[in-house]
Amino acid sequence: MTDRYAVFGNPIAHSKSPEIHARFAAQTGQDLHYERILAPLDGFALSVQEFIQAGGKGANVTVPFKLEAYDLATELTARAQVAGAVNTLVFDDDLIRGDNTDGIGLVTDIVTNAGQPIANRRVLLVGAGGAARGVILPILEHSPAELVVSNRTAARAQELAAQFGGRIQARSFDEIQGEFDLIINATSASLAGDIPPLAPALFGKQTLAYDMMYGKEPTAFMRFAAQQGAAVRDGLGMLVEQAAEAFFIWRGVRPATASVYQALRQQLQAQ
């Protein structure tokens, strides 16, 4: 019998997850079907329960339901607990296991695909929302020399710093000093064509500026960073890598990602 998986979101029609997982399944010989499910804004939990009753084995969760998925899970992985949000669910009898693969997706794309080490590097994480929270632990596991979090609302960055017991530093935008080896934009500013208020001096010739957003053209953040001489990368690789981690959690097989990334990149360029 073909195993069923899905991605829940609202909106969801734009999701590339069904194509990604179809490519993974074909590559690895796994018998599964993956679909999009548009859950009502006030009916996420019910939609998931209906999917489970219909034989669903697991699911991805995207905006705006990652916090609800966290609450729905009956068991949480350590990285989901730290993130305070869930993007991957595993259904096993009465158990709903919640995980978060965003951070490992980001780190894999930076370290493995982009060839940029995090160990002993200065890292600046811009934003203190769910996207930022989900990647802090995987970044720290790579032992950066320094991890600074900055946010328009300074109190939220300070809350994160307190949560991690001094392993990260919270700074207002005007307090950040010196060049960083890696600057990650975890805000949604790029969706509106905006740029976080970062000083040009934070970027250097050796800096990798990484935007979690992606599109056909470089984001405003990427264009600004490139003007300062930094190398730039968008979040398409993170999308593929977090999906690969979810696939591994569900199927116990780790798919190769390079060909899937290239196919999606070519599709974006053709739009």
Side-chain angles (χ1 to χ4, degrees):
M1 179 182 291
T2 300
D3 290 334
R4 292 182 61 192
Y5 297 88
V7 56
F8 289 82
N10 189 330
I12 198 61
H14 66 285
S15 175
K16 299 185 183 301
S17 293
E19 178 181 353
I20 293 172
H21 285 279
R23 290 179 179 274
F24 287 163
Q27 175 197 123
T28 58
Q30 296 290 303
D31 184 11
L32 62 86
H33 173 72
Y34 188 108
E35 62 194 281
R36 300 178 185 88
I37 295 180
L38 178 66
L41 293 176
D42 59 352
F44 169 73
L46 179 60
S47 295
V48 172
Q49 292 294 347
E50 290 174 345
F51 183 66
I52 294 172
Q53 292 168 10
K57 297 293 187 182
N60 288 130
V61 182
T62 188
V63 175
F65 299 124
K66 291 184 180 183
L67 296 181
E68 289 187 56
Y70 180 93
D71 293 334
L72 182 65
T74 56
E75 180 181 290
L76 294 165
T77 64
R79 57 192 179 189
Q81 291 178 34
V82 172
V86 160
N87 78 333
T88 302
L89 294 169
V90 180
F91 310 130
D92 185 8
D93 294 327
D94 293 332
L95 178 70
I96 301 177
R97 182 178 300 109
D99 205 338
N100 191 305
T101 66
D102 285 333
I104 193 68
L106 171 77
V107 167
T108 300
D109 192 42
I110 291 171
V111 176
T112 302
N113 299 339
Q116 296 290 325
I118 292 175
N120 301 315
R121 301 297 183 93
R122 294 192 77 212
V123 180
L124 172 61
L125 181 62
V126 185
R133 186 181 299 270
V135 302
I136 289 175
L137 182 60
I139 291 174
L140 288 174
E141 288 174 344
H142 277 254
S143 303
E146 183 180 14
L147 176 56
V148 176
V149 177
S150 190
N151 190 61
R152 288 183 188 273
T153 305
R156 295 190 67 183
Q158 291 164 359
E159 289 171 6
L160 276 184
Q163 178 183 342
F164 284 89
R167 298 175 69 190
I168 63 177
Q169 302 175 41
R171 295 282 186 271
S172 64
F173 286 116
D174 57 3
E175 290 177 332
I176 310 172
Q177 295 183 344
E179 286 185 7
F180 284 82
D181 301 293
L182 174 62
I183 300 178
I184 302 167
N185 181 21
T187 75
S188 58
S190 292
L191 295 177
D194 295 331
I195 306 169
L198 297 171
L202 302 179
F203 300 84
K205 302 294 189 212
Q206 304 302 315
T207 302
L208 173 63
Y210 192 104
D211 198 328
M212 289 189 186
M213 302 293 124
Y214 67 90
K216 179 178 181 178
E217 304 294 337
T219 66
F221 169 77
M222 292 166 65
R223 293 195 301 271
F224 174 75
Q227 289 169 2
Q228 319 313 319
V232 297
R233 189 174 181 89
D234 70 11
L236 184 62
M238 175 182 175
L239 173 71
V240 175
E241 294 297 342
Q242 65 81 25
E245 181 72 9
F247 192 90
F248 175 72
I249 290 168
W250 294 328
R251 310 300 296 182
V253 178
R254 191 170 295 281
T257 55
S259 63
V260 178
Y261 172 84
Q262 290 299 333
L264 292 180
R265 180 63 71 190
Q266 290 172 5
Q267 288 178 11
L268 280 176
Q269 296 305 318
Q271 289 178 359

